Amino acid sequence: MLEILESRYDHQKTEEKIYALWEKSGLFAPEAHQPWAGNLKRKPFAIIMPPPNANGSLHLGHAVFVTLQDILIRFWRMRGRKTLWLPGADHAGFETQVVFDKKLEKEGRNRFEIPRDQLFGEIWEFTQNSKKTMESQLRKLGASCDWSREKFTLDPNIVKIVYETFEKLYKDGLAYRDNRIVNWCTKHQTTLSELETKYVEKKDPLYYIKYGPVELATVRPETKFGDTAVAVNPRDKRYAKLVGKEIEIETLIGPAKIKVIADEAVDMKFGTGAVKVTPAHDPNDFEIWKRHEKEIPGPKVVIDKYGRIDLSAFAGNEKAERYHGLKIMGARELIEEDMRKEGLITKIDPEYSHSVATCYKCGTTLEPRILPQWFIKTKPLAEKAIRAAEKKEISFHPESSKKVYLHWLKNIRDWNISRQIVWGIRIPAWYCLSCSEPKINPKVKSRWFLVRHGETDYNKMGLIQGATDTPLNETGMAQAREAGQKLKPYNIDLIVSSDLIRCRQTAEIIAETIKEETGAEILFEEKLRERHQGEIEGLPREKFLKNPRDEYSYEGKYMGAESYRELEERAWQAFSSHHLKNHHKNVVLVTHGGVMRMLIKRIKNLDPEAALSIPSRKNAEIIQLDVLDKCKKCGGHFFEQDSDVFDTWFSSGQWPFAALITGKKTDFKTYYPTDVMETGYDILFFWVARMVMLGLYATGKIPFKDVYLHGLVLDKDKKKMSKSKGNVIDPLGVAEIYGSDALRIALVAGNTAGKDIVISEDKIRGYRNFATKLWNIARFILLHRTGPHLKKRYGEKYSKELKDMDRKSLAEIEAIKKKVTNHLEKFEFHLAVEILYHYIWHTLADKKVESLKRFLQPASALEDQVAAREILEKLLIESLKMLHPFMPFITEEIYQKLNPGKILMAEKW
RNA sequence: GGGCGGCUAGCUCAGUUGGUUAGAGCGCUUCGUUUACACCGAAGAGGUCAUAGGUUCGAAUCCUAUGCCGCCCACCA
């Protein structure tokens, strides 16, 4: 039944079949029975796969990690260790958000117009599709990972662990929320960590500006409206007399007084030795202000989140209006021009070169802003991570990367983990609505939703409507249905509604819409009615009222009307009695704009003035209130969750232990710390260092013992591959042409740890040829296996010459084996490849096969024919085993021909 | 400004702790269709190991400088 092989190996016919064979065998799972292993108590071997971003398809960089990790896994599996390779995918917060934003842009949409839940849902769908693609690509590349343990960073049990870590950090005082100056991308509308900024050399004019008696140099004249001081070096004699004094200055928007302070940070040699201090828009100035908090005014914001001049602080100043709303560069030009006219500019150095912080994704110049963000106090975490490396609990390959790692950790700064995007793990911090006190990772008892009724014709026409009882119009009904859709996921138990028809209808439509999910009870409540508007009922709002506080003061009322105070009293009475009874239920409260304003006033503990400034609600607008255990500080019940999400690296930094704790029962105990973390050197700080810090912090143990870092994949001209350059080699494309095996081995041959990998199609083709060579050795042997008389072993009766060759060959291949084993144990993949390549091609094929050919001729003694073939077969099988981690498909396929029924992947090395 | 890495055959790179004529792939030249393989075989050309010093019996390898290339970190009003 022996088949004659084709003269060429057909990877397209083979790979899928072989992968299916492996997967069916169950041998990817570490607990699979390995009969030859004998002692399964041997040390397990575990690698957590760096989860690829679920927002695209695999590139060559992924192919590199698949290859290296699969080599390690297959090698140790064959050596008899209980081997786990745990696959996963990363939601990749910001990265995915950016990818998705681009997709939205193409569709003419943008994320700021899409409700949070809907946007999250759409991105979820998108990532699930990418995930599927990637999984099939990983299979195509031969990854022998345990799919039964696959994880996603947004799996609920992973998220739970991330929350617990955050809570622990908070309790230990290592996570804190603070108003600090952070890097803000005006395009992506989010803050970024230090690592996500890219400094770019730029040439900008350096302006020398007159500031009363002093002169100073700046590249950002447009921020001068936000200046709160002038700083000089304390040792600078030129300004000694001015320090501590207020100076009168002339600005484009009028004269001002500003204080001169002394600070070490000022370089006497730069410019004029005097510097303007703009704490709201410059990180250094922010620091200077912190040091002189008592002497000078705090930050004055003059640039908004879109990077436009915002002079609303100068409302009423006509000169300020000229600049308000301008983009930075436009403002700078205009200001330069105006200052020139005023004689405020003394000199311009047009070619001043400095480096500017930009967004690493879009290159937009980052705008420093002061925002409340969550930070991790990293110093204490870093100390442990440093010690782990110094004590050699963690080894680095290449070793030089350890220095880089240590240097970074020793100079680490606090880590901003808040991101203003939707895609990610929402920060589990709730703030008390009445006193802002945070609660971390609390149990949400229930959710309450205040919903305004849908549109009536009165609303549509802009007429004041209080007690006037009119129904919803078509739009209003549609709005109510939409609100119902949004409320659907929340398991609403109860709907309480004002008994006016517009609310009644809204409530009924909502109830109808959410019916499939829950059968909520509806109660009608007279006390939730809109305020009686008295004599102004039915008047055109636009004409009558310019803003809400025109309606009347908190106490005031028109003839026959009700005051806000009265409204508040009755509405709050109703609200609190329902809250008392139903605080554990999810409740929708359908009511009116005025009522909502007063309820919010009460909940947020606002004074009347502030309450009346609350903007009015749109029809069917929903306000979510989360009910938690009473606030410790003020006793309030209602909270709202932080709208930010965690930096992805905060969650992926917990990946090794999170992926194991949420796995099978004993996984964490068995496989943690894992053995090897293999990833690209470009994420040494982003990921590796943070995994060590967070792993040590959360579990008390290092997350892995060895760190192997591979380089970037470059094209044959040593250029980084990028879509825009069009020099990207699609790994699946070349695998399709030359086979996954050829791609894999080409990626490891001639490459050492930490070095960039130069790959070309030529190189891959070269290794495809090697595959063909191997195939033909097998073909040759199998050709000589035919014929019934050759089936049986002929014992020891063959020639002495052959016996000598046998002995020598075996000794030789044993030596090879020793070397290859040694290299693999030391992560020297390229050396192992070189030895194997050489041995198989230039020894096994060129020497062994050639020299044994004559014994295989029909003229030779039968015993010699059999013996010669058996010698070759032994050498081939040993070669196949050693080559298997590198080229799993073809070696398995050949092995299947030689030993049907057995699986090479599980053979003993 | 600080750090790291590289500089070895036309190209891409190996060369593990210093040890005999410095290696591989691709490319090149010549020859060869020998019943596994032309995605092959045989033979061959091609390197003062960036430069200058030094240590050593011996240096691509260790040390010191220099040059160029690349990367990382920090910072700049």
Side-chain angles (χ1 to χ4, degrees):
Chain A
M1 263 294 288
L2 284 162
E3 53 182 309
I4 303 297
L5 304 184
E6 296 293 320
S7 70
R8 288 190 192 167
Y9 163 66
D10 186 343
H11 61 270
Q12 287 175 331
K13 274 189 199 156
T14 309
E15 289 176 359
E16 208 171 312
K17 178 185 81 186
I18 293 292
Y19 198 88
L21 172 81
W22 292 330
E23 222 175 341
K24 217 179 120 201
S25 74
L27 288 162
F28 291 166
E31 44 279 287
H33 180 52
Q34 292 170 3
W36 50 266
N39 182 5
L40 285 177
K41 279 184 197 150
R42 283 182 77 168
K43 257 194 331 184
F45 180 84
I47 297 181
I48 306 293
M49 182 188 290
N53 295 350
N55 59 26
S57 46
L58 297 189
H59 52 70
L60 268 179
H62 294 115
V64 172
F65 93 62
V66 171
T67 306
L68 294 174
Q69 291 168 39
D70 199 38
I71 288 169
L72 287 168
I73 287 290
R74 287 181 187 270
F75 170 66
W76 286 111
R77 187 189 287 123
M78 291 176 84
R79 300 214 71 206
R81 287 169 75 173
K82 198 167 158 184
T83 308
L84 170 65
W85 189 16
L86 192 152
D90 195 340
H91 69 281
F94 181 57
E95 296 269 337
T96 303
Q97 187 77 62
V98 170
V99 171
F100 200 78
D101 282 2
K102 280 188 191 149
K103 190 169 136 29
L104 287 174
E105 203 180 325
K106 274 186 199 151
E107 296 164 8
R109 303 198 288 161
N110 94 63
R111 73 173 218 247
F112 304 104
E113 292 164 353
I114 305 171
R116 182 175 195 125
D117 290 347
Q118 186 193 330
L119 180 59
F120 190 94
E122 283 190 35
I123 305 179
W124 180 273
E125 282 303 310
F126 170 70
T127 53
Q128 293 310 298
N129 287 333
S130 302
K131 227 179 117 218
K132 268 181 222 146
T133 312
M134 289 188 332
E135 284 156 15
S136 79
Q137 291 177 321
L138 287 172
R139 287 182 159 87
K140 183 100 198 6
L141 292 169
S144 65
C145 50
D146 182 1
W147 292 107
S148 73
R149 283 175 163 86
E150 191 187 9
K151 296 277 163 194
F152 183 47
T153 51
L154 294 184
D155 288 346
N157 49 9
I158 299 277
V159 171
K160 193 172 157 252
I161 287 177
V162 173
Y163 280 179
E164 285 164 5
T165 306
F166 182 64
E167 190 182 350
K168 182 168 145 74
L169 284 161
Y170 180 74
K171 284 187 176 150
D172 289 346
L174 296 174
Y176 64 96
R177 192 166 191 249
D178 192 15
N179 264 297
R180 300 220 337 229
I181 195 153
V182 283
N183 304 300
W184 174 266
C185 176
T186 52
K187 178 180 156 89
H188 292 122
Q189 293 288 300
T190 181
T191 58
L192 299 171
S193 73
E194 306 289 338
L195 283 177
E196 287 152 331
T197 65
K198 205 183 155 199
Y199 282 90
V200 181
E201 276 299 307
K202 269 184 80 176
K203 271 185 188 160
D204 282 307
L206 181 65
Y207 302 90
Y208 287 75
I209 293 174
K210 238 191 229 168
Y211 245 48
V214 302
E215 189 183 312
L216 48 78
T218 181
V219 282
R220 299 201 66 183
E222 73 278 6
T223 63
K224 66 195 295 292
F225 306 118
D227 291 353
T228 61
V230 169
V232 298
N233 190 291
R235 281 162 303 158
D236 198 330
K237 288 176 193 143
R238 292 172 291 177
Y239 303 106
K241 273 184 268 172
L242 289 172
V243 172
K245 304 227 168 75
E246 284 210 323
I247 56 172
E248 307 240 345
I249 59 168
E250 196 54 47
T251 80
L252 291 178
I253 56 172
K257 280 184 177 174
I258 203 163
K259 199 164 184 184
V260 179
I261 54 171
D263 195 283
E264 285 291 344
V266 181
D267 180 356
M268 285 158 61
K269 285 180 224 123
F270 188 91
T272 61
V275 59
K276 69 197 208 62
V277 181
T278 323
H281 300 290
D282 183 284
N284 290 314
D285 294 2
F286 183 82
E287 293 303 320
I288 293 179
W289 164 64
K290 282 273 177 187
R291 288 194 286 270
H292 300 268
E293 226 165 331
K294 284 175 191 149
E295 295 168 70
I296 61 172
K300 230 198 283 178
V301 174
V302 293
I303 293 170
D304 69 8
K305 62 178 177 176
Y306 303 110
R308 291 172 191 274
I309 302 293
D310 176 3
L311 297 182
S312 32
F314 299 88
N317 181 330
E318 276 180 29
K319 287 181 182 166
E321 274 171 36
R322 180 170 164 80
Y323 311 105
H324 184 77
L326 291 178
K327 282 197 159 183
I328 301 263
M329 289 322 271
R332 192 176 293 177
E333 277 168 31
L334 185 62
I335 286 166
E336 179 193 330
E337 201 186 305
D338 289 354
M339 289 181 83
R340 256 185 217 279
K341 281 185 202 151
E342 303 274 327
L344 293 173
I345 292 185
T346 54
K347 189 172 103 181
I348 297 176
D349 174 359
E351 290 283 272
Y352 175 64
S353 167
H354 63 150
S355 68
V356 177
T358 62
C359 170
Y360 81 112
K361 269 283 139 189
C362 66
T364 304
T365 300
L366 294 171
E367 199 50 63
R369 289 182 75 206
I370 298 169
L371 290 169
Q373 302 279 287
W374 282 97
F375 292 88
I376 302 293
K377 203 177 272 177
T378 38
K379 277 253 150 44
L381 303 183
E383 276 164 22
K384 287 187 181 146
I386 290 167
R387 217 170 308 136
E390 281 175 345
K391 279 165 63 192
K392 295 190 178 154
E393 286 170 37
I394 300 177
S395 312
F396 290 82
H397 313 271
E399 226 187 317
S400 59
S401 56
K402 178 169 154 182
K403 257 191 193 172
V404 184
Y405 163 94
L406 287 174
H407 181 260
W408 187 73
L409 284 171
K410 284 176 180 168
N411 295 287
I412 199 163
R413 282 174 293 170
D414 282 3
W415 174 18
N416 173 8
I417 54 168
S418 297
R419 294 291 176 281
Q420 291 69 44
I421 53 176
V422 159
W423 183 241
I425 299 176
R426 194 161 170 188
I427 297 178
W430 271 256
Y431 309 110
C432 173
L433 284 171
S434 65
C435 75
S436 302
E437 180 72 5
K439 256 191 212 250
I440 305 305
N441 205 11
K443 205 178 152 241
V444 177
K445 285 164 72 182
S446 63
R447 296 183 203 276
W448 281 46
F449 299 91
L450 304 183
V451 183
R452 192 184 165 209
H453 58 78
E455 190 184 79
T456 65
D457 284 340
Y458 264 64
N459 298 149
K460 195 179 176 185
M461 292 184 287
L463 304 178
I464 294 171
Q465 180 174 26
T468 314
D469 209 5
T470 73
L472 299 181
N473 60 22
E474 286 295 322
T475 314
M477 290 194 244
Q479 287 167 338
R481 274 191 292 275
E482 205 179 300
Q485 286 300 334
K486 286 182 195 158
L487 292 167
K488 233 179 181 172
Y490 294 101
N491 289 313
I492 304 301
D493 305 299
L494 174 66
I495 300 175
V496 181
S497 169
S498 147
D499 67 342
L500 292 179
I501 186 76
R502 54 189 188 273
C503 284
R504 248 180 142 84
Q505 282 182 309
T506 304
E508 275 158 5
I509 291 169
I510 289 173
E512 181 66 23
T513 314
I514 64 175
K515 184 172 74 182
E516 298 154 31
E517 312 295 323
T518 47
E521 185 190 354
I522 312 186
L523 297 176
F524 297 106
E525 177 63 72
E526 199 179 325
K527 285 179 174 155
L528 291 177
R529 281 188 185 183
E530 185 58 299
R531 186 179 42 165
H532 293 267
Q533 302 280 12
E535 61 187 356
I536 64 167
E537 191 89 39
L539 293 179
R541 174 172 288 270
E542 185 87 359
K543 231 163 140 186
F544 194 78
L545 313 163
K546 269 193 179 150
N547 75 59
R549 59 184 89 190
D550 291 347
E551 240 167 300
Y552 14 91
S553 69
Y554 183 60
E555 304 282 354
K557 53 186 173 184
Y558 289 94
M559 184 77 80
E562 192 181 18
S563 73
Y564 264 125
R565 174 192 284 286
E566 287 161 350
L567 167 70
E568 181 184 338
E569 282 317 313
R570 68 161 158 89
W572 185 250
Q573 216 181 12
F575 183 84
S576 35
S577 90
H578 283 292
H579 179 247
L580 208 62
K581 276 183 279 180
N582 301 307
H583 54 86
H584 55 288
K585 287 185 183 168
N586 293 326
V587 176
V588 170
L589 235 106
V590 183
T591 181
H592 307 265
V595 177
M596 283 168 83
R597 183 176 290 152
M598 284 304 111
L599 291 176
I600 294 295
K601 169 185 182 291
R602 202 60 179 250
I603 289 164
K604 290 199 174 172
N605 212 5
L606 303 175
D607 56 36
E609 183 63 17
L612 293 178
S613 307
I614 299 173
S616 45
R617 303 290 156 180
K618 292 188 199 112
N619 287 110
E621 188 175 336
I622 301 172
I623 299 174
Q624 181 175 335
L625 308 169
D626 291 345
V627 180
L628 311 183
D629 283 333
K630 263 198 287 191
C631 171
K632 274 187 201 132
K633 202 167 147 198
C634 74
H637 290 91
F638 294 99
F639 289 76
E640 82 185 334
Q641 190 177 357
D642 198 311
S643 59
D644 293 350
V645 302
F646 285 128
D647 178 357
T648 306
W649 300 105
F650 180 68
S651 50
S652 51
Q654 302 172 47
W655 193 235
F657 65 87
L660 285 170
I661 289 174
T662 55
K664 309 224 159 121
K665 249 189 186 165
T666 57
D667 278 3
F668 180 74
K669 207 178 146 229
T670 313
Y671 302 108
Y672 193 90
T674 64
D675 291 87
V676 182
M677 174 44 63
E678 196 290 316
T679 189
Y681 68 69
D682 52 329
I683 53 175
L684 176 62
F685 308 144
F686 277 106
W687 198 39
V688 178
R690 282 156 174 179
M691 278 191 287
V692 179
M693 287 195 286
L694 290 170
L696 278 167
Y697 174 71
T699 72
K701 287 182 192 164
I702 49 164
F704 32 73
K705 297 164 204 145
D706 283 286
V707 174
Y708 183 97
L709 299 170
H710 62 252
L712 301 172
V713 183
L714 307 177
D715 72 2
K716 61 179 187 316
D717 301 318
K718 287 186 124 182
K719 291 267 161 31
K720 203 169 162 179
M721 291 191 186
S722 74
K723 279 179 201 157
S724 53
K725 279 191 211 124
N727 59 350
V728 177
I729 295 183
D730 168 23
L732 283 306
V734 291
E736 195 64 32
I737 302 168
Y738 300 109
S740 293
D741 289 326
L743 171 63
R744 287 171 57 123
I745 196 163
L747 286 172
V748 284
N751 278 113
T752 48
K755 280 197 152 182
D756 291 343
I757 299 165
V758 182
I759 191 83
S760 63
E761 215 171 311
D762 278 348
K763 187 172 178 187
I764 300 167
R765 192 184 303 122
Y767 286 98
R768 189 273 319 269
N769 295 351
F770 175 58
T772 310
K773 191 74 185 174
L774 178 69
W775 183 255
N776 276 290
I777 298 170
R779 181 169 184 249
F780 177 76
I781 292 170
L782 285 165
L783 281 172
H784 289 277
R785 231 194 197 187
T786 50
H789 62 293
L790 291 179
K791 273 199 173 162
K792 210 167 106 199
R793 267 206 73 126
Y794 272 67
E796 299 295 314
K797 287 182 193 162
Y798 56 98
S799 66
K800 185 174 179 298
E801 199 184 347
L802 271 174
K803 278 181 186 158
D804 286 346
M805 283 177 82
D806 190 11
R807 205 167 351 94
K808 262 178 72 184
S809 301
L810 283 180
E812 198 173 34
I813 203 161
E814 272 310 310
I816 297 278
K817 199 168 182 174
K818 226 173 166 177
K819 278 189 197 163
V820 171
T821 306
N822 202 266
H823 287 313
L824 284 177
E825 282 173 348
K826 286 170 25 196
F827 302 99
E828 293 162 345
F829 305 102
H830 62 292
L831 296 178
V833 167
E834 198 175 310
I835 290 171
L836 286 170
Y837 184 96
H838 238 246
Y839 176 77
I840 290 170
W841 199 313
H842 299 298
T843 302
L844 184 56
D846 293 348
K847 308 255 156 56
K848 301 294 164 192
V849 170
E850 291 307 322
S851 60
L852 286 165
K853 256 180 189 170
R854 63 188 168 93
F855 296 99
L856 288 162
Q857 279 164 1
S860 298
L862 263 189
E863 289 90 340
D864 283 359
Q865 287 185 46
V866 176
R869 197 209 70 229
E870 282 182 347
I871 291 166
L872 283 176
E873 207 164 309
K874 271 189 288 189
L875 298 179
L876 176 62
I877 284 178
E878 285 310 309
S879 305
L880 288 175
K881 281 185 193 167
M882 288 187 277
L883 194 61
H884 181 255
F886 301 90
M887 305 182 90
F889 292 108
I890 187 173
T891 50
E892 184 72 75
E893 172 71 359
I894 293 172
Y895 196 74
Q896 292 296 313
K897 307 281 182 204
L898 291 166
N899 276 324
K902 289 172 105 185
I903 290 185
L904 177 60
M905 185 179 85
E907 285 303 321
K908 186 172 182 177
W909 179 277

